[in-house]
Amino acid sequence: MSDTNSAVVPGALRAFVDESPQPVVVLDQEGRVRYGNGAVAEVLTGDAAGPAALTDRLAADLLAVPSGAAGSSDLLAALEEAVEATDPDEPGECSLRATIGSGATLSTAVRAVEEGWLLSFRRDAGADGAEPTPSRAELLRQALDTAADGIAVLDADGRYRYVNPAHAELYGYDDPAELVGGHWRDLYDDAVADRLAADAAPVFEDAGEWRGEPVARRRDGEPFPQELALSALPNGCIVCIVRDRTEQHRHERTLRTLREATGDLLSATDRERAAEVAVEAAERALDLPLSAVYLATDDGARLDPATYTDAVAATFDDVPAFDGDRESLAWRAFTTGEAQRYDDPGTAEGVYNPDTAAAAELVLPLGDHGVMITGHLGDSEFDAESVRLTHTLASSLTDTLDRVAATEQLRGTNDRLERLSAVLSHDLRDPLNTAMATTTLARAEADGDVVERLDDLESVHARMETLIEGVLALTQGLSGIDPAPVSLPDAGGEAWRTARTAGDASGATLSVDGEGVLMADETHLQRLLENLFGNAVNHAGSEVSVTLGTTADGFYIADDGPGIPPEQRDRVFERGVTGGDGTGLGLDIVSEVATAHGWTVEVGESGTGGARFGVRGVEWVEPPSG
């Protein structure tokens, strides 16, 4: 808009034109456009660029008096007649047709203003009485008024010129008009408004837009987080788009609390602590005041309350246990393994207490450990998201209870193994040592058949000694894996001497094909090699030839004995399985040692038809050669 036009059209009149929801234009006495609002440009020219599209144009080029209309057919004369035909305080009325833009017939209110006319347009209904097609500006206004997002327009001074209903509602106002004319700072605390202005101003001036998440204040003083987007208009105004992020923030807090609960569940070492964590999470994160966990007794015959919220204790006079002697929703979920949702639990079939105060209830089974019960009071209901997250929490609790049960079982197994180890080390080994010593003394005085019988007795003693050593290796030998660089040829040589001596196989030979240093616990590696060498000696004979070789990711022991039939290879590592007079523990020890190191053991056939045991997954410190 030029300065000339600004001088011709007084400021008050310009403000009226700008604020009018109708297309409005100001003409001088010669019928030239001096000023118009944004809506009129589209109606008269098809161009929504604003008043600049109309400035200095002749109204007669844009408007015409419809043929057949009463009165003068000349535009300016028709305007003069409309004004003269009415009271000076009332606008005149005439019908005009847009000759370029919309082409619509327009009902026109005409007012005489200083040195000209003010025309305000609205569309006429069609000949059939149907509503006319809204203009683009009208459609835009309707879209803004019905948008779900809060939308407002600020002038250059930061005051509201337009507010849609959604924007007003976000801030707690019933009518958008209550905000129009007010300043945006009125909707924020002073400190927030200062920070918002400081953060947004430099970015907005540079880019013409800004996004952020300040905390606003509703009419009643309640703060709420929002997502705010600002963008500049060509006329210096600012478009504000606001979304309420209260629910999103609440959801994020819920997920954060549940993640923290999951971490606490991972560190829980007993069932009761795990139950407490889950109940606290249900109450704090999911807003479920009536929450409890019932754990099954060891025999699974009863569900006892392990922990529950204060609201449960305050609401119910008694927190009962559940069993199969009386129907209950908890027992049904436990025995069927099916989660149940009750929006009115008091009317559910088989409810334990028909007079329950719970308005809604979820009963979630925890495997064979028990059930988790959560619920609401009053008129509250479960929504889909809270149901989903409660199921997730119950699933995490079930996993924790599984882990705790497995840990307790392992702890019990270890305790039994320690007791067994003590029996083997002392209660059995001491009498065996006495028996072996007595046999040695008796041999010195014996002759004839007695000596032969003493030989048999010494063989029995040796077998008992081997059995004790093997069981001790399984019960206590794998508890302290401490890997360090170990030379495979050195460990193999030491293990071979032990195995050959124990097997009385002076004619057996060992060949080493390759060398390398691997990460292993030296003691346990030697035990693995001793058992593999011993297996070769025991099953291939005292003249067996054994090879210790290296591979890219491990090593192997091969012999030239009779080998292991393919149908038996899958079972050779099972405890107690033996192909001869052994204890059946040697290869079990091999498997245990390999597993403790993170290795795998495979059995196959050697190049000579004998047995070949391959160990894979080894970490070589120096690449093997050979």
Side-chain angles (χ1 to χ4, degrees), residues 156-204:
D157 295 327
R159 296 191 175 277
Y160 286 101
R161 290 183 55 177
Y162 168 80
V163 176
N164 76 346
H167 191 95
E169 184 179 354
L170 278 175
Y171 290 93
Y173 291 83
D174 297 327
D175 187 352
E178 297 180 84
L179 288 175
V180 174
H183 201 279
W184 68 266
R185 296 182 70 100
D186 297 337
L187 304 179
Y188 299 85
D189 292 334
D190 291 342
V192 175
D194 291 342
R195 186 167 60 252
L196 175 56
D199 292 345
V203 178
F204 191 78

Side-chain angles (χ1 to χ4, degrees), residues 103-324:
T105 299
L106 308 167
S107 293
T108 308
V110 185
R111 289 181 181 272
V113 296
E114 184 178 352
E115 298 182 352
W117 293 275
L118 183 145
L119 310 183
S120 177
F121 304 107
R122 65 179 184 275
R123 292 172 183 265
D124 286 340
D128 59 357
E131 287 295 323
T133 302
S135 68
R136 180 179 176 184
E138 291 167 342
L139 289 173
L140 177 60
R141 184 64 174 249
Q142 292 174 14
L144 292 175
D145 286 345
T146 58
D149 290 336
I151 302 175
V153 177
L154 302 174
D155 62 21
D157 295 327
R159 296 191 175 277
Y160 286 101
R161 290 183 55 177
Y162 168 80
V163 176
N164 76 346
H167 191 95
E169 184 179 354
L170 278 175
Y171 290 93
Y173 291 83
D174 297 327
D175 187 352
E178 297 180 84
L179 288 175
V180 174
H183 201 279
W184 68 266
R185 296 182 70 100
D186 297 337
L187 304 179
Y188 299 85
D189 292 334
D190 291 342
V192 175
D194 291 342
R195 186 167 60 252
L196 175 56
D199 292 345
V203 178
F204 191 78
E205 291 175 3
D206 180 56
E209 61 182 26
W210 179 86
R211 291 179 180 273
E213 295 186 5
V215 176
R217 182 166 36 82
R218 304 191 201 277
R219 188 176 194 174
D220 61 5
E222 177 192 2
F224 73 97
Q226 62 177 200
E227 179 184 350
L228 174 62
L230 306 177
S231 57
L233 293 176
N235 62 359
C237 292
I238 301 172
V239 176
C240 308
I241 301 177
V242 177
R243 293 187 177 98
D244 188 347
R245 285 178 54 88
T246 301
E247 286 303 318
Q248 185 172 351
H249 278 211
R250 181 180 293 115
H251 184 66
E252 290 170 355
R253 286 196 301 271
T254 295
L255 295 181
R256 186 165 55 250
T257 303
L258 288 178
R259 283 196 298 269
E260 293 171 355
T262 299
D264 292 339
L265 285 172
L266 289 174
S267 62
T269 58
D270 58 72
R271 300 197 310 166
E272 288 70 22
R273 175 54 187 159
E276 290 173 0
V277 170
V279 166
E280 290 171 3
E283 182 177 27
R284 291 195 301 115
L286 303 177
D287 194 24
L288 296 171
L290 300 180
S291 295
V293 169
Y294 284 75
L295 294 177
T297 54
D298 291 341
D299 59 4
R302 189 178 70 251
L303 296 174
D304 290 332
T307 186
Y308 42 83
T309 59
D310 293 339
V312 170
T315 303
F316 302 99
D317 296 334
D318 179 39
V319 182
F322 301 113
D323 57 34

Side-chain angles (χ1 to χ4, degrees), residues 328-340 342 363-365 367 370-371:
S328 66
L329 305 182
W331 189 256
R332 179 188 302 167
F334 175 64
T335 54
T336 63
E338 297 179 357
Q340 300 293 332
Y342 303 97
V363 187
L364 306 175
V371 296

Side-chain angles (χ1 to χ4, degrees), residues 61 90 193 227 231 252 377 407 442 449 501 593 621:
D61 293 338
E90 296 294 329
E227 179 184 350
S231 57
E252 290 170 355
L377 292 168
T407 300
D449 294 341
T501 300
V593 172
V621 179

Side-chain angles (χ1 to χ4, degrees), residues 509-530:
T509 59
L510 174 67
S511 299
V512 177
D513 183 12
E515 59 183 29
V517 177
L518 71 159
M519 294 297 296
D521 184 293
E522 185 172 8
T523 299
H524 294 305
L525 172 62
Q526 199 155 311
R527 177 171 295 152
L528 178 148
L529 293 171
E530 287 175 4

